[in-house]
Amino acid sequence: MITEVEWATFVPSALLLAATPGANQLLALRSGLRHGLAPAVSASLGRFAAFALMVIAVAAGLGAVLTESAVALNVIKWCGVAYLGWLGARTLLAAVRGKASRAAAGGEPADEGLNGGRSPRTPRR
């Protein structure tokens, strides 16, 4: 169980990390410039939803499991590799076919949520 002191350090650290400029903030800026305020806010909500899921997973003990189990960490890493490969192949196929990648990806909130979920700022072993 996480103690109050651990929560008091974890939550501000997690919020600071989430607010650090990165790919998600650039994606939100792109959404705002291309489509206006409402789509940018919607995209940011997708990012924060993914962040909330990651915080819940860590609070449920996933971080401890991954710290202790190299096998579990490698399984998750290779699932990520496969997912990013699939995204890359889909993007290349969409470009070859002349389709917009945004239409294939499901829109701005989905882009931000998925991008937040695969953030490179997550700790590596």
Side-chain angles (χ1 to χ4, degrees), residues 63-82:
V65 169
L66 295 179
T67 300
E68 295 299 321
S69 173
V71 173
L73 180 64
N74 281 323
V75 166
I76 289 179
K77 281 183 182 181
W78 284 106
C79 286
V81 167

Side-chain angles (χ1 to χ4, degrees), residues 37-120:
L37 180 62
V41 169
S42 176
S44 293
L45 290 175
R47 172 174 33 126
F48 288 122
F51 178 71
L53 290 174
M54 287 188 290
V55 169
I56 289 168
V58 169
L62 182 62
V65 169
L66 295 179
T67 300
E68 295 299 321
S69 173
V71 173
L73 180 64
N74 281 323
V75 166
I76 289 179
K77 281 183 182 181
W78 284 106
C79 286
V81 167
Y83 175 69
L84 290 175
W86 176 72
L87 284 177
R90 191 176 74 168
T91 301
L92 289 173
L93 285 173
V96 167
R97 292 179 182 156
K99 295 180 182 177
S101 63
R102 183 181 181 277
E108 302 295 333
D111 288 349
E112 285 244 8
L114 292 173
N115 196 39
R118 63 181 180 253
S119 174

